[in-house]
Amino acid sequence: MNRAELIESIKLACDWLADIAQVKTDKLTIENNEKGFKYDSWKGAIRGEYNCGKKQWGFFCPVWHTGQAVKALVKAYKLTGEEKYLQSAKLGAAFITNAQIYDKSNPDFGLILAFEDHADKVNTSAILECLDGLIHLAELEGDEQLWKRIISAGEFVANRAYNPQLGLFRDLYDPQTRKYIPNAFRTKDEKDGRPLIDDAIFVKLYDKTGDKKYLEIHTKVSETLVQDQRPKGNWVDYGPCDGDRMLFHPRHTYWWGKPLLDTYRKTARKEFWQTALDSGEFTLKALRTDGGWIRGLFLISDDSLCFNTQCFGHSTSGSACSAIFFMELHNQTKDGKWLDGAERAIDYCLRMQIREATDPNMQGVIIEKVLYPDGTDRNPYHIRDLGTIFFAQAAVDYVNKY
């Protein structure tokens, strides 16, 4: 792939994040906060949703989306030296830390108010998924104060959400009652929790602190993932997948399959390596021939991993996350099929980038999906910040590795 053209696309994407999508004021102005999320300050948050036909901004889960944007911006800063990206990353990190309970006298000390499905309840997965961006920034800056906040968030999750007997995390916390809501998401055999190893956060906490409990948590959850596969390489019995319909979420293998490579590196246990490989194979077969991913992805035959899809509702972020996963597998195996898959997925993302926009809100963005017609001739594109965020991460990784 052309290195100069790829870097230019990274800069266009990160300019969109820093200049267009990021909130610059404490209070919301032009956004539709449909779920009613409440934050004392919105400054630094990334606007996650943009309906191109209606020209309306909105949010889904501003904390973890912003955390992943921080990671993309830090990576882009290290590649390009563009100071704007670093300042935007710091602003995003400040939004997240402003949403953290950091009073040691508070029983919820360390909790990040990562609201997602409900306006007043916290998703454990959303806490984990915001932390890697903070880790990237803390490592870049040598910021030990930020590390303390990261560790306190990890401590909250480890001490309050984790079930060591099951190797699962309870995943919906009510800060008002200080209780978890049982079975808040689809789980296997109605067990209370999900096997969250998103971004291998507990491995990174172990590497930072040397505290073996973090590695033990990550390893136990990895064992649950190995045990609970259906089909091989994926976990349809856990939300956000749907085992009744055999419907798969576009980033499920990225969140749960890819971190098994970290488990293998720490333990040298072959079952983790094999499951990560199976997860990569699932992802490679699910990827469309042009590198795209359809959010409505249905398995119709377990044995052959044969899929059917909807026609609309694309998920470009699924393609970008696949590319990141494939590059990790290529780095481990040197098998060219993984690099071919990564390049196909990145090429699809590039084809979804808007380089000459008539709507200034779309300049440089990566289109996430195309909606079904709504009976009008309105623009059917829909922006989710994740398409742009994960593209930037994948493209920087590609430039750095190849």
Side-chain angles (χ1 to χ4, degrees), residues 118-129:
H118 305 273
D120 56 352
K121 297 174 181 63
V122 175
N123 286 30
T124 302
S125 55
I127 297 174
L128 296 176
E129 290 166 11

Side-chain angles (χ1 to χ4, degrees), residues 166-229:
L166 297 176
L168 300 172
F169 290 94
R170 292 174 293 176
D171 203 16
L172 195 64
Y173 183 71
D174 186 343
Q176 303 303 312
T177 63
R178 296 199 172 100
K179 293 181 180 178
Y180 282 89
I181 297 170
N183 296 312
F185 298 97
R186 180 183 292 270
T187 64
K188 184 176 175 61
D189 300 328
E190 298 185 355
K191 293 180 288 190
D192 185 14
R194 297 191 294 161
L196 305 172
I197 58 170
D198 309 49
D199 271 336
I201 291 301
F202 287 100
V203 171
K204 292 162 186 173
L205 290 176
Y206 166 71
D207 288 341
K208 175 63 179 178
T209 67
D211 190 335
K212 290 184 179 179
K213 78 175 180 183
Y214 295 130
L215 184 58
E216 290 168 358
I217 289 171
H218 181 91
T219 303
K220 177 64 176 177
V221 177
S222 298
E223 290 170 348
T224 300
L225 285 168
V226 171
Q227 177 181 330
D228 286 355
Q229 297 172 79

Side-chain angles (χ1 to χ4, degrees), residues 296-324:
L297 176 76
F298 299 87
L299 184 66
I300 59 177
S301 172
D302 280 27
D303 293 338
S304 61
L305 286 183
C306 183
F307 298 99
N308 199 352
T309 72
Q310 295 175 346
C311 293
F312 292 85
H314 311 68
S315 179
T316 305
S317 61
S319 296
C321 286
S322 298
I324 298 169

Side-chain angles (χ1 to χ4, degrees), residues 9-24:
S9 286
I10 291 167
K11 292 169 69 174
L12 283 169
C14 289
D15 286 347
W16 181 83
L17 288 172
D19 297 335
I20 299 172
Q22 191 166 48
V23 178
K24 305 297 186 183

Side-chain angles (χ1 to χ4, degrees), residues 56-71:
Q56 179 63 64
W57 289 101
F59 296 95
F60 180 63
C61 183
V63 164
W64 85 254
H65 286 210
T66 300
Q68 291 296 317
V70 170
K71 178 160 60 171

Side-chain angles (χ1 to χ4, degrees), residues 29-101:
T29 54
I30 59 174
E31 304 83 0
N32 177 21
N33 183 15
E34 186 175 3
K35 287 185 176 289
F37 298 128
K38 293 181 175 63
Y39 291 108
D40 292 337
S41 174
W42 284 87
K43 185 182 291 186
I46 300 295
R47 301 180 181 105
E49 311 286 324
Y50 183 67
N51 185 303
C52 301
K54 297 179 180 179
K55 294 182 169 52
Q56 179 63 64
W57 289 101
F59 296 95
F60 180 63
C61 183
V63 164
W64 85 254
H65 286 210
T66 300
Q68 291 296 317
V70 170
K71 178 160 60 171
L73 289 161
V74 169
K75 283 175 172 281
Y77 166 73
K78 291 167 70 176
L79 176 69
T80 67
E82 178 59 62
E83 182 68 22
K84 174 174 65 177
Y85 302 152
L86 177 58
Q87 296 308 314
S88 180
K90 289 180 177 180
L91 200 62
F95 166 71
I96 297 169
T97 56
N98 285 337
Q100 184 177 32
I101 296 172

